[in-house]
Amino acid sequence: MRINWNYIKMIGLVVLIMGLYAFSNHRNDKKKVNGIKIEFVGDQNLYVTPAMVNKLLIQKYGPLVNVPKENLVLNTMEKVIEANEMVKNAQVYLTMNGELISKILQKKPIGRIEGPTKYYLDDEGNRMPLSSNYSARVPIITGNITGKCLEDVYVILDYINKDDFLRKNVIGIHIENEENYQLRFRMENFVVNLGNVKDLEEKFNNFKAFYAKAAKDKTLQEYNIVSLEFDNQVVCTKI
């Protein structure tokens, strides 16, 4: 019987490669963590700090430097970091040289609730605690704060944040009730009665048209109430 040496060589090569791969993986698993690095992506305002993240991991796992890589469960570590109320998402991985990297995306506040309990409303409409490290410059929410009203406030804030003019100028929302929300502006003395959250685009377009004309005429200071509650019109009350 003729021996097919090419076939035997191929099998030997495959076995050798598999052996080297298994050996490499075994050696890699035996390596230890030689450093930890915390990186924040997106907004650089640090509501949670690298020291706070390190503390979370140490409380759960103890010191991680010199821990064998095979002892780490990375997706579990991600969940530990994401348990922090200021963290939106975490990605944990090991580099080839043994450095443990944690990339963290923080929650983004879009409004600050000033009621019996103080907290932020984030960009997904969820509660976010205040931070002792950084205070966000976002509109202040006051008044009759209820669950339904906060849902409406989130809709208003979401619209405001997509509009350059409104985002730069609206500094507060006061909740009268579910049918009337008042806006306060940075440079003006008047309040804007928005009404409910229906037809926001039409209401704000009407308001911006009024604002542009009044600014041109230099009459903005003559008003104390600007109402957008009525269909397709702006009703103003002078001082």
Side-chain angles (χ1 to χ4, degrees), residues 32-43:
K32 297 180 179 181
V33 175
N34 63 20
I36 299 173
K37 184 177 181 181
I38 311 295
E39 296 180 1
F40 292 92
V41 298
D43 195 340

Side-chain angles (χ1 to χ4, degrees), residues 137-152:
R137 296 184 64 183
V138 292
I140 305 298
I141 316 303
T142 58
N144 183 25
I145 297 169
T146 65
K148 175 59 172 66
C149 288
L150 281 184
E151 291 177 13
D152 289 347

Side-chain angles (χ1 to χ4, degrees), residues 60-71:
K60 182 67 177 180
Y61 301 103
L64 288 168
V65 175
N66 292 325
V67 171
K69 293 166 68 175
E70 63 182 354
N71 293 353

Side-chain angles (χ1 to χ4, degrees), residues 96-153:
M96 292 298 293
N97 63 5
E99 189 173 33
L100 184 68
I101 307 291
S102 299
K103 286 194 172 182
I104 297 170
L105 178 64
Q106 300 175 108
K107 293 181 178 179
K108 182 179 180 180
I110 59 173
R112 174 171 173 150
I113 309 301
E114 288 291 327
T117 304
K118 295 177 173 56
Y119 55 92
Y120 291 123
L121 197 65
D122 74 11
D123 60 353
E124 293 184 341
N126 300 316
R127 292 190 179 199
M128 173 182 170
L130 302 183
S131 170
S132 59
N133 300 301
Y134 186 84
S135 181
R137 296 184 64 183
V138 292
I140 305 298
I141 316 303
T142 58
N144 183 25
I145 297 169
T146 65
K148 175 59 172 66
C149 288
L150 281 184
E151 291 177 13
D152 289 347
V153 164

Side-chain angles (χ1 to χ4, degrees), residues 7-24:
Y7 182 70
I8 292 174
K9 289 178 182 178
M10 183 64 68
I11 293 176
L13 181 60
V14 170
V15 171
L16 178 62
I17 291 172
M18 291 177 65
L20 289 172
Y21 181 76
F23 178 72
S24 176

